[in-house]
Amino acid sequence: NAGVTQTPKFQVLKTGQSMTLQCAQDMNHEYMSWYRQDPGMGLRLIHYSVGAGITDQGEVPNGYNVSRSTTEDFPLRLLSAAPSQTSVYFCASSANGLKNTEAFFGQGTRLTVV
Amino acid sequence: AQRVTQPEKLLSVFKGAPVELKCNYSYSGSPELFWYVQYSRQRLQLLLRHISRESIKGFTADLNKGETSFHLKKPFAQEEDSAMYYCALEGGTGFQKLVFGTGTRLLVSP
């Protein structure tokens, strides 16, 4: 019962480098989302997807791209990393994304941009 | 604007003592409210949601619209309750967009 799997768990990037944070779920959930968590702040929504081929922006989308080519995967891309993107990133999924459905979270990716 | 405030970063109690984790929210409509918990070395998981009016692991939370609060309570804390607790709000229409508080670390000592 893997649930939501994020890779890598830890990553250090240099400013300007690009990388992709991977997120996969095996629960056949339609809805997936990415959050970031910074010190002293709650989780903030970056992007979300309501199904394969459909994505939309959350509260803090700048500097991030997403795509959803399959139901299972929802990668988050940083095209040119900046120190301000140092954070812990969480991927989540829920059955249909409707209000009051439970969100299942991955274990997080701790990203440091130097 | 939607906002969730958890005023305490750390709440330290002894085993058997009552616990109240505070959560206040700002939202003009009728929100859906949740408590999520993260135990050490585990992932964030749902503890309870107000619409279910349930008690999970002895915890309850009542939505008080007059005070815009959704405090989490347990009459007798256990050591295994030690964790990070996040209050979250879901407002508006459409799809799930959770707004989280900054979290409160609960430490239950023997």
Side-chain angles (χ1 to χ4, degrees):
Chain A
N1 54 348
V4 179
T5 302
Q6 289 183 237
T7 54
K9 288 189 170 58
F10 302 95
Q11 183 70 49
V12 178
L13 286 180
K14 293 184 179 179
T15 298
Q17 284 185 315
S18 63
M19 82 158 295
T20 300
L21 307 186
Q22 302 291 346
C23 176
Q25 51 90 11
D26 61 0
M27 297 174 282
N28 202 32
H29 283 173
E30 288 296 321
Y31 186 87
M32 296 184 75
S33 52
W34 277 101
Y35 291 84
R36 61 177 287 175
Q37 184 180 31
D38 301 303
M41 303 186 76
L43 280 73
R44 292 181 294 168
L45 182 64
I46 305 171
H47 284 286
Y48 64 96
S49 169
V50 301
I54 306 170
T55 64
D56 206 348
Q57 297 180 348
E59 180 187 353
V60 287
N62 292 341
Y64 307 96
N65 282 348
V66 292
S67 59
R68 184 96 179 270
S69 56
T70 67
T71 299
E72 295 78 19
D73 300 299
F74 190 43
L76 179 71
R77 279 184 287 277
L78 286 71
L79 296 178
S80 179
S84 60
Q85 294 178 304
T86 294
S87 189
V88 181
Y89 291 85
F90 291 96
C91 179
S93 74
S94 63
N96 51 32
L98 296 179
K99 290 176 69 172
N100 267 310
T101 53
E102 179 177 356
F104 293 84
F105 285 83
Q107 289 197 306
T109 295
R110 186 174 294 274
L111 175 68
T112 302
V113 183
V114 297
Chain B
Q2 301 173 20
R3 180 177 294 175
V4 175
T5 302
Q6 294 180 253
E8 304 141 326
K9 286 186 179 178
L10 172 66
L11 184 62
S12 185
V13 301
F14 288 105
K15 177 182 173 181
V19 168
E20 183 179 52
L21 298 163
K22 293 189 178 354
C23 172
N24 289 90
Y25 67 89
S26 173
Y27 180 63
S28 57
S30 291
E32 307 296 340
L33 284 148
F34 306 80
W35 278 98
Y36 278 83
V37 61
Q38 188 171 27
Y39 300 102
S40 178
R41 288 186 292 278
Q42 294 188 29
R43 59 191 67 197
L44 197 61
Q45 59 188 280
L46 179 66
L47 180 63
L48 55 81
R49 58 193 119 184
H50 94 268
I51 196 169
S52 302
R53 298 184 180 277
E54 57 202 345
S55 174
I56 304 294
K57 299 184 178 182
F59 284 98
T60 59
D62 291 318
L63 177 60
N64 186 323
K65 292 187 177 180
E67 295 183 358
T68 60
S69 68
F70 188 55
H71 302 328
L72 183 68
K73 300 177 184 179
K74 185 170 182 177
F76 307 104
Q78 302 298 316
E79 289 180 67
E80 56 265 30
D81 294 330
S82 295
M84 203 62 192
Y85 291 80
Y86 295 92
C87 183
L89 173 155
E90 194 176 75
T93 58
F95 291 97
Q96 185 183 67
K97 296 176 187 176
L98 293 168
V99 176
F100 284 85
T102 51
T104 297
R105 180 170 298 282
L106 175 63
L107 181 60
V108 183
S109 304

